[in-house]
Amino acid sequence: MARPYWSGTIQISLVQFAVKFFVATEAKSQIRFHQVSRSTGERVRHQKVLESTMENGGEDMSEQSATVGKDDIVKGYEYAKGKYILIEPSEINNLRVPSKHTIAVEQFVDESEIDPAFFEKPYFVAPDGDAQAEAFAVVREAMQKAGKVALGKIAFGGREHIVALMASKDDEGRGLMAYTMRYGEELRNPKEYFSDIPKVSVDEDQLELAEQLIKKKTAKFDPKKYKDGYEVALKELVDAKLHDEPVPVDEPQPKRAKVINLMDALRSSLSGKSTEEGEDTPPPGKKTAKKEPIKKRSNVAEMPKREQAAEPHRKKASASAKPAKTARRKSA
């Protein structure tokens, strides 16, 4: 098992138990790039240098004193122009922040009350030792039955976070999930972006078709179904260059056909018809239904204006043509 990212105590009133936090995500990218000089093909590395060296136009770059070692770097707070208070790493580690060691649950809320925009990063939470398992299990099951999320604070990574604790939705149902959350002031005001959206009266028929379309496209969430297409394209690019093959390029997207109106788009979507191609696209294994014959127009009123104007002349031509056709049959 991986090393815990954080170890401490969860405290709910007088009830407390020790837990371990494990990072729930990991980078799966297989393609990693370095910065390389185009002219020489050598890798470019960066050095941390004194600001005074840069101000001199880089004249002292060759001197050993120009570069600064990692152990010689500390944090500095600029209280005046060019003047800093130096803060040692040990001083930061010894800050008096209670949430470095204990998550004091301040309240419980319904999960539906929390806007997903506030969630930041997930962690797996497990009891720290068998002796903590009983209290951990009791609190977890109580939270699950009540459908509640516990809110508190936790300090790590150079700041104090709001943390949400909830029962995990895994098959075995043993663990807790923790999510660090954003503070309210970190989220921009949505009114700045949504206030200019015009108010539209929703047509009930269109709404009903949209609800049917959503129902048709609804399926159980399967995270394995989704792949990183950008990563796949990068790998194809690298493989092509390695094997001296043509480099794949982005193909121009086909122009979408103009949709006459929303109602037609909704109906076509429900019937499986593509608005881009205008053709039926049935699910795999199903035969395409035969197209119904085009119905003849029953009256002139249903025709476009140009056809309406031409209709009397068509009738006259048709009437004059019939006797000639009959005469030819008789003569034959």
Side-chain angles (χ1 to χ4, degrees), residues 90-103:
S90 59
E91 294 174 317
I92 293 179
N93 293 335
N94 292 324
L95 286 174
R96 290 193 301 172
V97 184
S99 58
K100 285 198 304 181
H101 311 289
T102 302
I103 300 173

Side-chain angles (χ1 to χ4, degrees), residues 28-294:
K28 285 290 187 181
S29 176
Q30 298 178 357
I31 304 296
R32 290 182 175 85
F33 294 110
H34 297 292
Q35 290 185 321
V36 177
S37 170
R38 180 183 282 111
S39 58
T40 66
E42 293 178 280
R43 182 173 173 181
V44 177
R45 296 189 180 274
H46 298 271
Q47 290 182 323
K48 295 182 179 181
V49 299
L50 296 173
E51 188 175 22
S52 58
T53 306
M54 303 304 296
E55 291 174 352
N56 292 334
E59 296 178 359
D60 301 331
M61 285 295 288
S62 60
E63 297 181 8
Q64 189 69 26
S65 59
T67 59
V68 183
K70 183 179 179 181
D71 295 338
D72 197 33
I73 297 176
V74 296
K75 296 184 182 297
Y77 175 77
E78 190 175 21
Y79 64 92
K81 183 66 175 177
K83 296 183 178 181
Y84 299 89
I85 295 176
L86 302 185
I87 307 294
E88 296 290 340
S90 59
E91 294 174 317
I92 293 179
N93 293 335
N94 292 324
L95 286 174
R96 290 193 301 172
V97 184
S99 58
K100 285 198 304 181
H101 311 289
T102 302
I103 300 173
V105 174
E106 299 178 9
Q107 68 176 114
F108 290 92
V109 299
D110 291 332
E111 186 176 347
S112 59
E113 291 183 44
I114 304 176
D115 188 328
F118 284 97
F119 289 115
E120 198 167 33
K121 191 172 181 178
Y123 295 85
F124 298 132
V125 185
D128 191 359
D130 295 344
Q132 313 297 318
E134 182 181 14
F136 182 95
V138 170
V139 170
R140 182 203 175 280
E141 188 165 346
M143 289 172 58
Q144 185 179 40
K145 287 188 175 181
K148 299 295 182 181
V149 176
L151 295 180
K153 286 185 177 181
I154 186 172
F156 55 58
R159 63 175 301 190
E160 187 178 54
H161 308 264
I162 307 171
V163 63
L165 298 165
M166 63 185 72
S168 63
K169 296 179 173 63
D170 65 325
D171 294 335
E172 295 184 2
R174 295 182 185 178
L176 284 171
M177 290 297 299
Y179 297 89
T180 52
M181 299 177 63
R182 299 177 178 91
Y183 288 93
E185 59 268 22
E186 291 182 303
L187 288 178
R188 294 174 177 173
N189 188 349
K191 291 182 180 179
E192 296 179 13
Y193 305 90
F194 300 154
S195 59
D196 292 336
I197 299 176
K199 293 183 178 180
V200 179
S201 57
V202 177
D203 180 80
E204 289 298 324
D205 293 335
Q206 293 178 351
L207 179 61
E208 184 179 352
L209 289 175
E211 290 173 343
Q212 292 179 26
L213 178 59
I214 292 172
K215 185 177 181 180
K216 178 182 177 182
K217 300 287 288 184
T218 298
K220 188 176 180 180
F221 174 61
D222 179 10
K224 295 180 181 179
K225 174 183 176 182
Y226 297 91
K227 304 294 181 183
D228 185 352
Y230 194 88
E231 176 79 8
V232 172
L234 273 179
K235 192 173 187 307
E236 290 177 352
L237 172 61
V238 171
D239 288 343
K241 283 183 168 287
L242 280 174
H243 298 94
D244 198 21
E245 297 175 351
V247 174
V249 295
D250 192 16
E251 297 179 358
Q253 296 297 312
K255 293 183 178 179
R256 291 182 176 271
K258 291 183 179 179
V259 180
I260 299 174
N261 55 49
L262 178 59
M263 185 66 81
D264 286 347
L266 289 167
R267 286 172 175 163
S268 298
S269 298
L270 283 170
S271 65
K273 183 177 289 186
S274 169
T275 54
E276 295 180 7
E277 301 175 0
E279 297 179 355
D280 290 336
T281 54
K286 290 188 177 181
K287 295 183 178 180
T288 306
K290 293 182 179 180
K291 294 183 179 179
E292 295 182 1
I294 300 174

Side-chain angles (χ1 to χ4, degrees), residues 288-303:
T288 306
K290 293 182 179 180
K291 294 183 179 179
E292 295 182 1
I294 300 174
K295 294 181 180 179
K296 296 181 179 180
R297 297 187 178 97
S298 59
N299 54 56
V300 179
E302 295 178 355
M303 300 179 181

